[in-house]
Amino acid sequence: MIRSRWVCRHCLSRLRTTTSYKLLPRPFAAPHIIRRQSHVAARSNESDGEIYLADSLLKRAKQLSTEHDALEQQLIENFDTKTAARAGHLRPVSEALKQYEEAVENLSQLRSMADDPTSPLSSMAADDIPPTIDSIRSTSAALTTALIPRNQFASYPCTIEIRPGTGGSEATLFTNDLYKMYSGFFSLQRYQTSIISYQTHNEIGGEGCSELIMSVSTPESYDLLRHESGVHRVQRVPATESKGRTHTSTATVMVLPKFSEDEGDFEHGTDEDPLAQIDMKEVRIDVMRASGAGGQHVNRTESAIRMTHNPTGIVVSIQDSRSQHKNRATALTILKAKVAEKRRKEKEEEALSMRRGAVKIGAGRSDKIRTYNYTQNRVTDHRSGESSHDLPRFMNGEGLGEMIEGVREWDVQRSVEVMLAMQEMEDEKKKKEK
Amino acid sequence: MPRLSPKLIHHLSKTNPLLPLLLRQTRTPSLAKAEYRWLLSYVLKTPIPTQSSKSSYLKYLCHRRSIGVPLQYLLKTQPFGNLEILCGPGALIPRPETEETVFRLCEIIELNYPNLLGKSQDRNGELRILDLCTGPGSIVLLAADLLHKLSLQNGYQILGVDISSAALALAKKSLNYNISQENIPKNVSQNIDFVEADILTNDRSELYNKISQLFEPKREGKVNRTVDIIISNPPYISPEGYWKDTARSVRLFEPELALVPPALHLQDSVAREDLFYPVIQAVARDLGAQAVVLETGGNEQSTRVREIFSANGWETSIWEDFSGIKRNVVAWQKHSKWSCLESPA
């Protein structure tokens, strides 16, 4: 048994993903979440507890599933877009939970049949147990992914920006290498890309790049590439180095969702503008009319219309024309344009704040997410802890996909941990209240 | 009427000396400014030879307005939907409530059109609308404009009936004016007609003959379903209400004929302001109308009119106007497809 007093965080996270987590002293071991598919060798001697989902995770799934059912019921009674959207978000969870529960039920039935030696089906049932365990495993994995909230911009295409960080001209050389790596990766993936800005200048030892902005127009590419944001560190003997010392330089990569800026052929604020679509239920229309009998009793010339868009609080009042009907149409057009403008502004601000939050520009060598070590022919991702030992191949973009996959798995696990911690906190709160 | 402060009048007269004149009727500075703008743009459009006479004409119009002449009479028109209805002494100025009613009705027709077609064995299947007490023809013209845009499969026919020859003359002028302004296409006039007739007579057979002749010129004899829908904005103000509730400008300048029902055929059971509604109900029965859309003076009258119709076996509903007053009573034959009239879209 390993009883170390001190465990490196990366080692800890790697240990936890394998079956050897059991070797760790209790306080270090996080509650077991799901087993990774790649470690199925030890299947025969594992206990039942390990193929099932953690209780708290299951509890959360059940909670969401009940919420989903309630929402569905509500939708049948009266349709509302917001409820429908929420129900749509929860549907995968509910479905995955059903599949999972079915598989668990199957397994217990098969077990009881297999244990009964008198039954003629016992041998058949015993044969069916391993595939059922597999299906539990796959459905529980599906359930875990369904539980994790999808990134809100996951469906968007993206832009990727690479800039040299610390390290001077060596950093610009490395930036160019990264650009080549990503363009190799995109052509392997058959992603459509276009270069927005590529600024090069000759350095000793090759071509350096001081800025690269590339847009990837394939949808969902943001979801794949968002983990690439961060500081990439290189350790090598640069071409500019005369004394053979290893230098450490960095380049920053920024991946941002691309909101369609080239939205097509329409003027902003017109009916075709998707941002100008408003629900008339959310618009309050006030007619500027004094109270009274109205109708034939008066012939007011007052024709003003005031429209208030409740969600944004935008107010438009119009008294241009003598016709109330025309004023109404004008007011609606202007209201739509104003709402679209406001939404556009908000979107831009959001994009800007994402940009600021994405990465600290010029971050130091220690905030790295990945290290490219040329002297050791190694690329290590510091989040998933995975390494690739074929650097030239990796720099052609060939190993990048696997590494990204590793990071995504790491991200899923981390999200699950966060979710569990939140769930536990909530539970404790409830207990205290009781 | 609240008193206008001299300070406000002084302030306005510094901006423009004509504004205090308009303020007498409008009571609010913003509306006075708007009316001034509309008058000015009208004067600038009207062909008058020299600059000096234009400014004196504008002054004249403002003086007329200050004594209460309706702005619509001064500008000669009132916008109604996309149209401009000609206005003049002798006809009621179309009201925005009526405009809203027509829009709602046409919207319902658009949504339910193929279902609403009558059983078309005995006729061409076009949608037939009868507008009783049409006045300046505003309902007829706007409905024609809106239905034309729907390009209904079997077409439509709209007939306006009124007792006043002056109003009908204005209605016909309005039609030509809107065609000349290209607000409506020329062929719309084929689907429109106006008839001068009195619907309050004891013997309505002459009226029915005129109507069925216009709808079915080739057919002779009795037709059991001549119209699909009757729409009407009849005079609905009581004699007391005429002195109490109406605006001074309405009393002084608009025809009483279009506002207060005449003292004819009075029965104890029916109040004078409701005089037209039982008659319209009878006409609808006689002509086999499937649905009726009526404008009333407001909440209590709507309730009374609704009772008149439901007592005669109609299904009824009430629509509220934009200021929340129960403005329209709608009625339809039981088990007919016009039950979609129940609530406006």
Side-chain angles (χ1 to χ4, degrees):
Chain A
M1 230 173 158
I2 304 170
R3 278 208 177 273
S4 69
R5 293 181 59 88
W6 178 90
V7 178
C8 158
R9 193 159 56 94
H10 298 305
C11 300
L12 183 68
S13 67
R14 291 176 68 190
L15 276 171
R16 203 161 54 207
T17 61
T18 66
T19 40
S20 56
Y21 84 99
K22 278 183 279 182
L23 302 178
L24 280 174
R26 262 291 123 188
F28 284 116
H32 181 66
I33 299 127
I34 69 162
R35 278 178 31 86
R36 297 251 307 255
Q37 288 283 303
S38 48
H39 299 92
V40 287
R43 189 199 292 165
S44 51
N45 42 357
E46 74 196 355
S47 67
D48 258 7
E50 287 168 24
I51 56 171
Y52 299 129
L53 273 178
D55 279 347
S56 41
L57 208 58
L58 206 57
K59 199 169 146 194
R60 171 97 184 132
K62 275 179 183 157
Q63 233 174 34
L64 291 177
S65 170
T66 14
E67 190 188 338
H68 172 255
D69 293 345
L71 287 178
E72 288 280 290
Q73 198 55 42
Q74 214 174 314
L75 279 177
I76 290 166
E77 277 152 26
N78 59 347
F79 188 84
D80 174 57
T81 12
K82 273 179 194 160
T83 326
R86 175 79 183 141
H89 276 301
L90 297 179
R91 190 162 304 129
V93 178
S94 163
E95 276 165 14
L97 182 67
K98 261 176 218 150
Q99 280 175 8
Y100 173 76
E101 280 173 343
E102 235 170 66
V104 170
E105 177 72 12
N106 276 349
L107 183 66
S108 72
Q109 278 178 4
L110 286 173
R111 284 239 164 97
S112 68
M113 271 158 78
D115 289 345
D116 181 9
T118 54
S119 166
L121 295 171
S122 69
S123 67
M124 279 169 76
D127 283 348
D128 275 349
I129 287 175
T132 316
I133 290 178
D134 276 346
S135 86
I136 290 182
R137 198 165 280 126
S138 66
T139 49
S140 68
L143 185 55
T144 319
T145 18
L147 274 175
I148 292 159
R150 195 170 138 88
N151 186 290
Q152 56 169 329
F153 300 112
S155 62
Y156 283 85
C158 66
T159 52
I160 178 163
E161 303 183 18
I162 312 173
R163 288 196 180 79
T166 42
S169 53
E170 154 66 356
T172 66
L173 289 174
F174 178 58
T175 304
N176 203 30
D177 290 338
L178 278 184
Y179 158 59
K180 281 177 186 154
M181 177 184 85
Y182 282 116
S183 52
F185 174 66
F186 293 143
S187 61
L188 277 174
Q189 298 278 328
R190 309 200 174 198
Y191 276 10
Q192 285 188 350
T193 56
S194 61
I195 287 172
I196 295 168
S197 157
Y198 179 42
Q199 299 194 1
T200 57
H201 41 84
N202 283 320
E203 298 282 348
I204 305 164
E207 203 171 27
C209 167
S210 58
E211 183 191 60
L212 179 272
I213 305 174
M214 192 158 55
S215 86
V216 185
S217 50
T218 312
E220 310 248 330
S221 58
Y222 178 68
D223 194 31
L224 186 73
L225 291 170
R226 66 197 166 95
H227 298 302
E228 290 299 291
S229 277
V231 176
H232 293 238
R233 179 173 75 164
V234 63
Q235 290 172 322
R236 64 180 172 191
V237 183
T240 48
E241 170 67 40
S242 50
K243 288 174 186 159
R245 289 171 296 196
T246 302
H247 286 214
T248 303
S249 316
T250 63
T252 53
V253 174
M254 211 186 308
V255 180
L256 295 164
K258 191 171 81 175
F259 305 114
S260 38
E261 274 154 25
D262 37 283
E263 293 160 26
D265 290 335
F266 59 80
E267 265 179 72
H268 285 180
T270 53
D271 279 349
E272 294 96 73
D273 189 343
L275 288 180
Q277 304 304 324
I278 52 179
D279 185 357
M280 286 313 285
K281 279 181 204 152
E282 295 173 343
V283 180
R284 202 181 74 216
I285 302 174
D286 296 312
V287 185
M288 310 287 185
R289 281 200 149 241
S291 57
Q296 290 174 3
H297 296 87
V298 287
N299 60 7
R300 294 191 167 272
T301 49
E302 179 81 280
S303 56
I305 288 278
R306 188 175 62 200
M307 284 191 183
T308 316
H309 187 238
N310 289 329
T312 52
I314 292 174
V315 181
V316 173
S317 61
I318 296 288
Q319 194 181 14
D320 275 355
S321 159
R322 285 196 289 138
S323 157
Q324 206 181 78
H325 183 255
K326 261 182 203 153
N327 283 341
R328 197 178 284 251
T330 319
L332 190 60
T333 320
I334 292 177
L335 184 72
K336 278 183 175 173
K338 281 194 169 176
V339 168
E341 192 188 311
K342 183 161 188 183
R343 286 180 180 161
R344 189 157 278 122
K345 218 173 191 174
E346 276 172 4
K347 226 171 172 184
E348 273 162 18
E349 267 166 22
E350 194 173 18
L352 198 68
S353 72
M354 278 194 73
R355 199 186 176 77
R356 289 190 181 128
V359 73
K360 282 180 265 171
I361 297 184
R365 295 174 178 89
S366 55
D367 298 322
K368 75 271 171 187
I369 59 159
R370 196 176 288 157
T371 297
Y372 302 74
N373 194 318
Y374 278 68
T375 38
Q376 296 172 11
N377 192 26
R378 169 179 65 87
V379 182
T380 303
D381 195 288
H382 299 289
R383 294 161 301 179
S384 66
E386 278 174 24
S387 288
S388 157
H389 293 280
D390 189 354
L391 190 67
R393 181 171 163 268
F394 194 88
M395 293 316 279
N396 287 334
E398 283 168 49
L400 187 57
E402 293 149 37
M403 188 143 284
I404 289 176
E405 207 41 58
V407 177
R408 283 173 79 166
E409 258 175 56
W410 162 82
D411 187 55
V412 166
Q413 295 212 354
R414 197 187 53 166
S415 313
V416 170
E417 274 165 44
V418 170
M419 214 162 58
L420 286 178
M422 303 253 291
Q423 181 76 35
E424 270 162 29
M425 259 167 64
E426 265 176 40
D427 289 350
E428 262 171 43
K429 235 187 214 172
K430 272 180 199 165
K431 264 184 204 166
K432 270 180 195 169
E433 276 169 16
K434 274 175 190 174
Chain B
M1 212 186 285
R3 189 172 151 271
L4 294 165
S5 79
K7 200 174 159 193
L8 176 69
I9 296 170
H10 179 69
H11 174 75
L12 272 183
S13 68
K14 273 204 290 186
T15 346
N16 191 317
L18 292 176
L19 285 177
L21 289 174
L22 299 174
L23 194 63
R24 284 186 200 168
Q25 291 301 317
T26 60
R27 315 306 292 179
T28 61
S30 68
L31 188 56
K33 282 176 190 161
E35 287 203 358
Y36 179 77
R37 206 174 63 229
W38 295 326
L39 282 168
L40 182 65
S41 71
Y42 169 73
V43 169
L44 292 177
K45 267 194 303 191
T46 333
I48 298 168
T50 63
Q51 198 61 37
S52 64
S53 65
K54 275 203 177 188
S55 73
S56 60
Y57 185 47
L58 179 64
K59 215 180 259 174
Y60 162 76
L61 289 179
C62 288
H63 275 286
R64 294 285 290 157
R65 180 68 185 130
S66 76
I67 60 163
V69 178
L71 185 76
Q72 294 88 341
Y73 284 181
L74 296 175
L75 302 180
K76 309 275 196 297
T77 59
Q78 164 67 21
F80 200 69
N82 301 317
L83 310 179
E84 303 230 327
I85 304 294
L86 293 184
C87 296
L92 188 78
I93 296 161
R95 306 288 201 255
E97 285 90 349
T98 317
E99 185 183 19
E100 197 187 22
T101 308
V102 180
F103 269 102
R104 283 174 171 180
L105 176 64
C106 290
E107 217 166 282
I108 290 175
I109 291 175
E110 180 183 6
L111 292 173
N112 299 288
Y113 173 62
N115 286 334
L116 296 180
L117 280 179
K119 290 190 188 74
S120 49
Q121 290 102 355
D122 57 338
R123 53 188 176 86
N124 303 329
E126 76 260 11
L127 190 70
R128 288 176 181 169
I129 301 177
L130 180 63
D131 176 17
L132 298 175
C133 309
T134 183
S138 40
I139 295 179
V140 173
L141 295 177
L142 182 58
D145 175 44
L146 295 176
L147 293 179
H148 188 82
K149 281 176 192 150
L150 298 184
S151 50
L152 302 179
Q153 184 192 337
N154 287 345
Y156 61 93
Q157 284 280 336
I158 307 176
L159 180 63
V161 177
D162 203 279
I163 192 174
S164 158
S165 55
L168 286 181
L170 204 60
K172 284 170 191 164
K173 242 168 95 182
S174 261
L175 173 63
N176 292 328
Y177 174 76
N178 277 298
I179 290 173
S180 72
Q181 294 286 309
E182 294 179 354
N183 289 335
I184 45 177
K186 208 174 175 187
N187 53 1
V188 165
S189 61
Q190 294 165 4
N191 303 322
I192 294 180
D193 230 316
F194 293 102
V195 170
E196 189 184 329
D198 181 6
I199 65 166
L200 291 180
T201 51
N202 285 322
D203 179 21
R204 285 190 294 263
S205 59
E206 198 190 337
L207 170 74
Y208 295 160
N209 274 339
K210 276 185 187 171
I211 291 170
S212 56
Q213 247 172 36
L214 279 162
F215 276 136
E216 292 174 19
K218 285 166 206 154
R219 283 178 74 102
E220 297 282 324
K222 197 171 176 284
V223 188
N224 57 357
R225 255 180 67 182
T226 320
V227 295
D228 288 305
I229 181 161
I230 291 181
I231 181 166
S232 181
N233 178 18
Y236 54 63
I237 300 176
S238 65
E240 307 80 55
Y242 183 66
W243 294 107
K244 243 170 47 195
D245 300 334
T246 55
R248 187 168 159 271
S249 149
V250 173
R251 257 191 330 267
L252 288 178
F253 294 95
E254 293 196 70
E256 195 181 339
L257 181 69
L259 300 166
V260 186
L264 294 168
H265 317 291
L266 283 181
Q267 301 162 5
D268 289 341
S269 59
V270 178
R272 188 167 151 196
E273 62 266 34
D274 299 342
L275 184 71
F276 273 90
Y277 298 103
V279 178
I280 293 169
Q281 193 277 130
V283 172
R285 277 256 170 260
D286 294 344
L287 294 177
Q290 296 295 296
V292 182
V293 177
L294 300 166
E295 188 174 318
T296 72
N299 301 345
E300 290 121 48
Q301 194 169 24
S302 283
T303 318
R304 291 198 302 269
V305 173
R306 190 177 187 173
E307 270 162 24
I308 293 173
F309 274 80
S310 39
N312 283 287
W314 296 77
E315 301 261 336
T316 54
S317 175
I318 284 178
W319 294 352
E320 279 185 6
D321 68 4
F322 47 75
S323 30
I325 295 173
K326 291 175 181 164
R327 180 62 62 194
N328 299 109
V329 174
V330 290
W332 60 95
Q333 296 269 12
K334 271 181 185 161
H335 313 300
S336 78
K337 283 161 181 160
W338 286 92
S339 55
C340 52
L341 286 175
E342 187 160 5
S343 58

